[in-house]
Amino acid sequence: MGSSILVVDDDEAFAEALRDLLRHSGHEVAIAGTCADAVRLLGEREFDLAFVDLRLPDGSGLSVLRYAKATAGSVGVIAVTAYGSVEQAVEAMRLGASGFLIKPVEPEQVNALVDRTLLAGRLDRAVRSESPATAAGEGAYSGILGSSAGVRRLRHFVGLVAGHDANVLLTGESGTGKGLAARAIHEMSPRRSAPLVHVSCAAIPETLVESELFGYEKGAFSGAIGRKPGRFEVASGGTVFLDEIADIPPAVQAKLLRVIQDKEFERLGGNTPIRVDVRIVSATNRVPKDLVESAVLRQDLFFRLNVVAFHLPTLRERREDVPVLAASLLARYADASGKRIRGIAPEALDAMIGHPYPGNVRELENIMQHVAILCPDGETVRLCHLPADLARGAAGPIGESDRPPACAPPAPAADRPATLAEALARAESAAIRATLERAGNRRAEAARLLGISRKSLWERMRRHGISD
């Protein structure tokens, strides 16, 4: 669904051409030719983005920019002028503009800046929101945030299986959220009022797995000074989440199979059958078929655990979810630190979206905890607040000694004559890289999405040092 955009410009031909371009991308567009008309429209309705010409018949566009940021701080503003100067750009940015365009403009330049500004605006609103999940835009439940196809499939799967008692097997790389999915299944099931017991099989010493799962009687072994119920007994009526089932010893797998088949077991050192009613959700970061073929997991147990299965996507496969995930995590850790962080700057957001995330969502969580500590109260997260390796990946190879220990304050206008050119080049490069990735590195398709010719795309890729 498109956004609501205001174009403030007294050049009717330019304003109408910009309106047609934005409408072609699915946005709703209104036009104002004066400061007075712009202020009136901003007061009457909400806009997600505004293009503001800095020279208007009845005053400076900077006054419109000030009014927009004062009355609707979440609206993104892109300053526009036919008389470009670094001083104007710096002043507009200082007042809160998200970008700066010099006429004449190219369609791909406009689209790239619109996409980045709207994305940053959604992120800012999510950070400020009391409920970041709501900002995901899809009624996220049980903490499953995002709007990617993979997340929508996961939500659909959870909704289908939650009402049944069938055992569920979750697969996927470490850090993809298998534990979160297990909790969602439990919370939406009729068992929600009973316990959800999480068992990290990899964290329990092999010699203690049986006693942890099924409990023990007094005197069952040295140190067993009393009776202790196991995890299955504690979870009776609810759900047991067996994380990393490949780490369950073979001898314990046989006893687990009996629990699934007969709904009963004996504590270690005991001979009285204990009946339990549990649902099992299990998980592994390895390929289940390989576990069975290598005899790491019993085939009959695998069939009992794998009644219904779901493979969770990596964060690399759902990069479009990074902004809302980052917003939710940043809000959580900033609140824990007693801070109010204003949002994330576009260049920092670009770096996070482009990161490969070998550790998946867990890695993003660590990054946002790092950011919440380093970013000062009341400021916006910038590239220099990110971990060094992530910032290096976005800014190009630099030595660790080249990075300041903290973000330097913005330089005076006289010291930054290249800021505008650098910002435009960075926006163009980011847009091309993102579109190439979305198009599967098919240049013809990327050129079509960008609205430029293949030759123009090739020239721009060469200029920015972008290869397939």
Side-chain angles (χ1 to χ4, degrees), residues 437-449:
E437 182 173 345
R438 187 161 65 246
N441 279 329
R442 299 191 305 275
R443 291 189 185 184
E445 175 64 9
R448 186 189 68 79
L449 292 172

Side-chain angles (χ1 to χ4, degrees), residues 59-83:
S60 169
L62 292 176
S63 63
V64 177
L65 172 55
R66 291 190 189 94
Y67 179 86
K69 302 308 289 185
T71 58
S74 62
V75 63
V77 178
I78 297 173
V80 183
T81 184
Y83 311 93

Side-chain angles (χ1 to χ4, degrees), residues 38-209:
V39 168
R40 177 180 56 79
L41 286 172
L42 285 167
E44 289 177 353
R45 52 190 284 199
E46 292 184 359
F47 291 94
D48 301 300
L49 174 63
F51 286 86
V52 180
D53 193 320
L54 295 183
R55 292 194 179 188
L56 294 167
D58 57 342
S60 169
L62 292 176
S63 63
V64 177
L65 172 55
R66 291 190 189 94
Y67 179 86
K69 302 308 289 185
T71 58
S74 62
V75 63
V77 178
I78 297 173
V80 183
T81 184
Y83 311 93
S85 73
V86 173
E87 289 75 20
Q88 284 182 317
V90 170
E91 179 63 6
M93 296 296 185
R94 188 185 68 79
L95 292 174
S98 304
F100 194 87
L101 287 175
I102 300 175
K103 298 177 184 177
V105 299
E106 294 184 1
E108 60 267 26
Q109 181 186 10
V110 173
N111 288 330
L113 193 51
V114 166
D115 289 345
R116 289 184 59 187
T117 304
L118 290 174
L119 187 61
R122 288 195 294 270
L123 180 59
D124 285 345
R125 288 189 291 274
V127 170
R128 294 189 182 102
S129 172
E130 293 260 333
S131 175
T134 305
E138 281 207 24
Y141 52 79
S142 300
I144 299 178
L145 302 180
S147 58
S148 65
V151 169
R152 292 198 299 271
R153 285 194 297 270
L154 175 58
R155 290 201 191 101
H156 182 65
F157 174 80
V158 169
L160 286 176
V161 304
H164 302 276
D165 258 351
N167 292 333
V168 178
L169 176 62
L170 302 171
T171 62
E173 291 183 11
S174 294
T176 50
K178 298 186 289 293
L180 191 63
R183 178 168 294 280
I185 292 170
H186 174 75
E187 288 179 353
M188 294 191 67
S189 75
R191 296 176 177 269
R192 68 179 68 90
S193 58
L196 167 66
V197 177
H198 185 158
V199 183
S200 179
C201 302
I204 304 173
E206 185 173 334
T207 55
L208 298 180
V209 172

Side-chain angles (χ1 to χ4, degrees), residues 339 341 343-345 348 367-377 379-388 390-391 403-408:
K339 294 180 179 179
I341 295 176
I344 301 177
I367 290 170
M368 299 320 295
Q369 188 172 13
H370 170 105
V371 163
I373 293 170
L374 293 189
C375 184
D377 187 23
E379 287 198 14
T380 296
V381 175
R382 290 187 277 156
L383 199 59
C384 54
H385 295 130
L386 301 180
L390 202 159
R403 276 177 50 80
C407 287

Side-chain angles (χ1 to χ4, degrees), residues 218-466:
K218 180 179 179 180
F221 51 84
S222 177
I225 59 176
R227 173 186 292 172
K228 179 186 175 182
R231 306 286 183 93
F232 273 86
E233 198 170 344
V234 171
S236 189
T239 306
V240 173
F241 174 48
L242 298 176
D243 196 7
E244 296 309 332
I245 53 172
D247 291 287
I248 300 176
V252 180
Q253 290 184 28
K255 195 166 184 177
L256 178 58
L257 182 63
R258 181 191 167 197
V259 174
I260 297 173
Q261 292 177 161
D262 302 335
K263 305 290 187 183
E264 67 178 28
F265 61 90
E266 293 88 31
R267 298 190 190 99
L268 194 64
N271 52 24
T272 303
I274 298 171
R275 293 197 61 80
V276 290
D277 171 28
V278 297
R279 181 193 199 166
I280 298 177
V281 178
S282 53
T284 180
N285 61 8
R286 297 165 65 178
V287 179
K289 181 171 172 285
D290 294 346
L291 295 177
V292 174
E293 290 179 352
S294 61
V296 171
L297 190 67
R298 290 176 57 130
Q299 186 178 54
D300 48 2
L301 177 60
F302 169 71
F303 288 139
R304 292 286 185 173
L305 296 174
N306 186 33
V307 178
V308 285
F310 188 88
H311 183 78
L312 278 78
T314 64
L315 193 52
R316 298 182 298 281
E317 297 169 317
R318 43 181 289 228
R319 292 180 190 272
E320 60 266 46
D321 293 332
V322 169
V324 72
L325 289 169
S328 174
L329 294 166
L330 180 59
R332 180 200 307 173
Y333 289 118
D335 184 64
S337 301
K339 294 180 179 179
R340 293 290 295 173
I341 295 176
R342 294 173 56 193
I344 301 177
E347 67 272 11
L349 185 59
D350 285 346
M352 287 193 290
I353 293 173
H355 187 62
Y357 294 103
N360 292 294
V361 179
R362 191 175 296 132
E363 181 180 359
L364 177 60
E365 184 173 2
N366 292 339
I367 290 170
M368 299 320 295
Q369 188 172 13
H370 170 105
V371 163
I373 293 170
L374 293 189
C375 184
D377 187 23
E379 287 198 14
T380 296
V381 175
R382 290 187 277 156
L383 199 59
C384 54
H385 295 130
L386 301 180
D389 58 338
L390 202 159
R392 275 199 299 270
I398 60 175
E400 191 65 30
S401 61
D402 295 328
R403 276 177 50 80
C407 287
D415 295 333
R416 51 189 299 184
T419 297
L420 178 57
E422 289 174 352
L424 294 176
R426 193 182 307 121
E428 183 175 79
S429 176
I432 291 173
R433 292 176 190 275
T435 306
L436 279 169
E437 182 173 345
R438 187 161 65 246
N441 279 329
R442 299 191 305 275
R443 291 189 185 184
E445 175 64 9
R448 186 189 68 79
L449 292 172
L450 288 167
I452 59 177
S453 67
R454 293 179 63 182
K455 180 182 178 183
S456 177
L457 174 61
W458 180 81
E459 289 173 348
R460 291 163 193 269
M461 289 174 63
R462 183 180 62 176
R463 184 191 313 156
H464 296 296
I466 300 172

